[in-house]
Amino acid sequence: MRTLTVVPPRRVRRRPDPLLRDALGSVLRAERTAQRRTLSDVAGDARVSLPHLSEVERGRKEPSSEVLAAICGALGLDLADLLLRTSRQVRDLTSVVEPAGPVLSSAPTVSLSLVA
């Protein structure tokens, strides 16, 4: 005699959403270092204090749109490009984490038999 067996879909955990200021700061720092520029150099060009720029890059300060525009200008980076890179980073950081162990089908499996 066979029985009806339903396999539940696998559970998927989602990583917690990062703070926007962390993602923005990370992208800004990556761009600055890719250009081989110092904090002092970019802060001077952006007319932002060096400690403030450092805190923005480390995600400690929530930058205003004016400060972001100034930093982007100093880096020669379009605001739209900064936002696009930031959205990609957030997407990558919040991607689905598969559980450890065997992978189960997401569709239920059904087996059925008739007893004669």
Side-chain angles (χ1 to χ4, degrees):
M1 176 175 150
R2 290 188 174 180
T3 59
L4 177 66
T5 305
V6 177
V7 178
R10 70 181 142 171
R11 293 183 184 172
V12 177
R13 294 178 311 173
R14 193 168 179 266
R15 293 183 183 152
D17 289 335
L19 295 175
L20 179 59
R21 68 177 185 240
D22 289 333
L24 282 168
S26 176
V27 171
L28 290 170
R29 175 170 280 172
E31 180 62 28
R32 178 182 59 78
T33 57
Q35 293 181 15
R36 298 181 182 271
R37 296 178 66 190
T38 65
L39 273 170
S40 179
D41 179 38
V42 174
D45 288 351
R47 298 181 182 251
V48 174
S49 75
L50 188 145
H52 187 69
L53 177 58
S54 175
E55 290 193 339
V56 167
E57 283 189 358
R58 290 182 292 134
R60 306 269 189 222
K61 293 284 184 186
E62 194 83 48
S64 67
S65 58
E66 291 86 1
V67 168
L68 279 179
I71 296 169
C72 285
L75 291 170
L77 181 65
D78 290 332
L79 182 60
D81 192 32
L82 170 66
L83 296 175
L84 180 62
R85 292 183 195 182
T86 301
S87 71
R88 287 179 181 153
Q89 183 175 33
V90 169
R91 181 195 61 215
D92 292 346
L93 290 172
T94 58
S95 62
V96 173
V97 178
E98 297 295 330
V103 176
L104 303 174
S105 170
S106 60
T109 304
V110 178
S111 59
L112 178 68
S113 72
L114 299 173
V115 177

